[in-house]
Amino acid sequence: MINVGVIGFGNVGRSLVLELAGLNNVDLKIVSSSTGYVIVDEKNTLRELVDLANVGLKLFNHRKFIESKNSVEVFVEKDVEIAFITLPPSYLTGEPNRSIYYRLLENNISIITCDKTVLSIEFDKLMKEIRRRNLFIGYRATVTAGTPTIELARALRRRNVEKVKGLLNTTTNYIITLVEKGYSYKQAVERAVKDKFAEPEPWLDTHGWDSSAKLSIISSTLRYSVSIYEIEKIPLESVSENEIREVLENNQRYRYIAEADYIERKFIVHPVKIDKNDPLANASPLHNVVEFILENDKVVIQGPAGPAWRTAKVMISELLDYIEYKI
Amino acid sequence: MINVGVIGFGNVGRSLVLELAGLNNVDLKIVSSSTGYVIVDEKNTLRELVDLANVGLKLFNHRKFIESKNSVEVFVEKDVEIAFITLPPSYLTGEPNRSIYYRLLENNISIITCDKTVLSIEFDKLMKEIRRRNLFIGYRATVTAGTPTIELARALRRRNVEKVKGLLNTTTNYIITLVEKGYSYKQAVERAVKDKFAEPEPWLDTHGWDSSAKLSIISSTLRYSVSIYEIEKIPLESVSENEIREVLENNQRYRYIAEADYIERKFIVHPVKIDKNDPLANASPLHNVVEFILENDKVVIQGPAGPAWRTAKVMISELLDYIEYKI
């Protein structure tokens, strides 16, 4: 039996609770949100959590919800070995995410996360702390969750990758597709939020923060450490709606691309005009595409990102790998 | 310091010797071929090996070559911890490859291999022996060496992959491209051998043995064990030269495709008519493409296979991972 806890009860957190409730060798001890937590002390408590997750209700609707700004102590008390972190990102200050990570580690709790905040701000510092304490961090779900880009980067990290070029944000893909069809940016963003493709804070997508975080984590995995702050971010809206539509006539298309050049040490996220046949333009708008340029050739991966249930599935697969590895 | 040896002195074996000679923390102790071996007892011996490798000469040209059909005992004597296996495949009988693998393991020597023979014939049996003895096997280089398909399969092994569809053999790609241009099969194969794209035994490519071996290893990595013998192999030549040319007019193209259906348990390698826009038809003829179908979606990877220097580089990267992991 392994004791686990979940931090965050949004879409991914809820999907995780549903998956964890079905696992035999895993004991879900606590679920926390930004305002409080629920301790799973009996089968009924778990059943009610599953009910909340199924209907998409907030954690404070739970009968046993305890109000609190700080639940890490309860994770320690309940002997949690792995905490699943599904907090929303907080790139500007890093808080409260950063404090939560380090307090978990101080208490020898390992982490499986889909939150990119701390990894993209200070990858090396965080990893050093994890190694020093001989703990585990699983972060496959932080980048193109449904597509194993991080594992691919790990596999290529000894092979002198010179550049990475990626379509790392499906929300901007979706927005561009709508603008191509005649929507204004404003309308397209509203529609993306309504269709649940965009976060409630869509500027994280359209101003490049989400793509930068992913580019940073891919780069650090390749051993070229780059913080999210070092990456230049040109907003999607720097290209006019008309330009987006006009290039279609020349068999071209705008895509919001993240690029790293490790030789020149240049890092940028920006709208780029590309050929329609290019894999980066050709992919389904709900797919991510990442090109690793190396050895005068390239390795390209393409596949789905989320949605939440898939992100949760990937985090569970990391837990199962961890358990297998321990045995 | 870690003691290593190389088995096989063909193109990959030679590239490995060149790479290993440049590594600080690695001690190359012995290089063997099918007819004998050279013990590296001093700097001059290594220098002469590097010279042979550079000009592409055979191992028996070495001043210190010792004739012998069996060099495993010398690997033991020289305290080799990891043997690099670059033997040509031997799918029909499995020998001498199989005996060499098990004799290495019996003597607690770990393996890094680009040879697919034993993994595609009896993956589970081999892995059981390796786990039982707590040894290591690195086999990334057996499938699309330059493209980390095996690592991708490992990353997806808990995610209910339903099908795999792959362009796993660049030789048949190259042959089809030539036939499309007007070559006969016979001419195309001769040209492919001459251009060093095909093995001296091109039927391994055109009759599906090479693709089947790779499909078997991918499947076993995904935990759906399939031996190479269970895979149906339809020769490329079952499609006529004219058919290959005629479909081009309909914006289609023949490709030699390996397919696994884990739900139906069907496994086949065959020529398939596909749309020119399909990633499987669209890729550079020197690229491999593998599609993993799962979760009502797919993850696609594309990239280069060999040549020999790249295969060697990948095997070295596995050695470096092994060393890092040990520390």
Side-chain angles (χ1 to χ4, degrees), chain B residues 35-323:
Chain B
T35 54
Y37 59 86
V38 170
I39 295 172
V40 185
D41 47 4
E42 46 169 16
K43 275 199 175 159
N44 267 341
T45 322
L46 183 60
R47 206 168 299 138
E48 287 161 40
L49 268 172
V50 166
D51 290 345
L52 285 186
N54 267 322
V55 292
L57 278 176
K58 300 235 171 192
L59 196 61
F60 61 67
N61 291 297
H62 197 286
R63 191 171 46 95
K64 295 202 173 170
F65 182 78
I66 296 165
E67 218 169 301
S68 161
K69 286 278 174 209
N70 176 6
S71 59
V72 171
E73 275 60 49
V74 192
F75 277 71
V76 180
E77 219 173 88
K78 292 294 159 189
D79 223 6
V80 166
E81 184 171 335
I82 293 200
F84 289 89
I85 301 183
T86 71
L87 294 165
S90 163
Y91 300 121
L92 300 189
T93 66
E95 293 299 341
N97 307 38
R98 187 198 275 122
S99 302
I100 292 173
Y101 279 70
Y102 287 107
R103 272 159 53 215
L104 288 167
L105 297 178
E106 277 161 27
N107 288 290
N108 293 315
I109 298 174
S110 287
I111 291 170
I112 293 177
T113 182
C114 67
D115 157 46
K116 295 175 278 296
T117 308
V118 188
L119 287 158
S120 66
I121 292 175
E122 46 188 48
F123 189 93
D124 288 349
K125 190 180 164 201
L126 183 68
M127 287 303 172
K128 208 176 146 191
E129 184 64 11
I130 284 158
R131 270 195 303 274
R132 197 172 71 81
R133 294 181 172 275
N134 205 13
L135 295 172
F136 169 81
I137 185 162
Y139 66 94
R140 289 181 200 166
T142 59
V143 176
T144 66
T147 306
T149 304
I150 290 302
E151 289 92 323
L152 196 60
R154 279 190 67 81
L156 295 175
R157 79 201 149 120
R158 297 191 191 279
R159 284 180 55 207
N160 300 103
V161 174
E162 292 182 9
K163 291 182 189 175
V164 162
K165 209 168 157 182
L167 200 88
L168 296 173
N169 179 276
T170 51
T171 309
T172 48
N173 265 359
Y174 189 67
I175 290 170
I176 293 172
T177 317
L178 292 175
V179 174
E180 284 173 348
K181 284 179 187 161
Y183 283 62
S184 70
Y185 271 125
K186 196 164 167 292
Q187 292 167 329
V189 169
E190 280 167 9
R191 169 78 184 271
V193 173
K194 194 172 145 248
D195 291 355
K196 301 224 167 151
F197 284 116
E199 299 294 322
E201 296 187 88
W203 63 271
L204 287 172
D205 298 312
T206 61
H207 287 199
W209 287 87
D210 179 72
S211 294
S212 294
K214 291 168 184 164
L215 187 64
S216 154
I217 297 175
I218 293 172
S219 300
S220 299
T221 302
L222 285 169
R223 297 189 172 170
Y224 299 97
S225 265
V226 183
S227 141
I228 186 173
Y229 304 126
E230 293 175 73
I231 300 173
E232 192 181 353
K233 301 163 197 77
I234 312 286
L236 173 58
E237 297 90 341
S238 68
V239 177
S240 77
E241 293 152 5
N242 276 335
E243 277 174 284
I244 285 185
R245 287 171 211 132
E246 280 163 18
V247 297
L248 291 173
E249 291 162 25
N250 304 326
N251 259 318
Q252 292 179 307
R253 183 167 254 178
Y254 271 99
R255 282 291 179 259
Y256 201 48
I257 304 285
E259 294 187 69
D261 182 330
Y262 303 114
I263 311 294
E264 305 282 336
R265 274 201 74 82
K266 279 190 184 168
F267 305 93
I268 188 167
V269 174
H270 55 165
V272 181
K273 196 161 52 179
I274 42 183
D275 221 65
K276 266 193 193 165
N277 296 326
D278 192 304
L280 289 166
N282 213 3
S284 143
L286 300 182
H287 269 195
N288 293 123
V289 186
V290 189
E291 299 185 357
F292 294 85
I293 289 112
L294 76 168
E295 300 164 0
N296 292 317
D297 209 315
K298 62 182 178 180
V299 172
V300 187
I301 191 167
Q302 179 182 329
W309 63 264
R310 193 179 271 126
T311 305
K313 236 177 148 52
V314 170
M315 294 172 84
I316 295 289
S317 81
E318 251 175 335
L319 173 69
L320 297 177
D321 283 354
Y322 170 85
I323 293 172

Side-chain angles (χ1 to χ4, degrees), chain A residues 101-113:
Chain A
Y101 279 68
Y102 287 106
R103 272 162 50 219
L104 288 167
L105 297 178
E106 276 161 29
N107 288 289
N108 293 315
I109 298 174
S110 287
I111 291 170
I112 293 177
T113 183

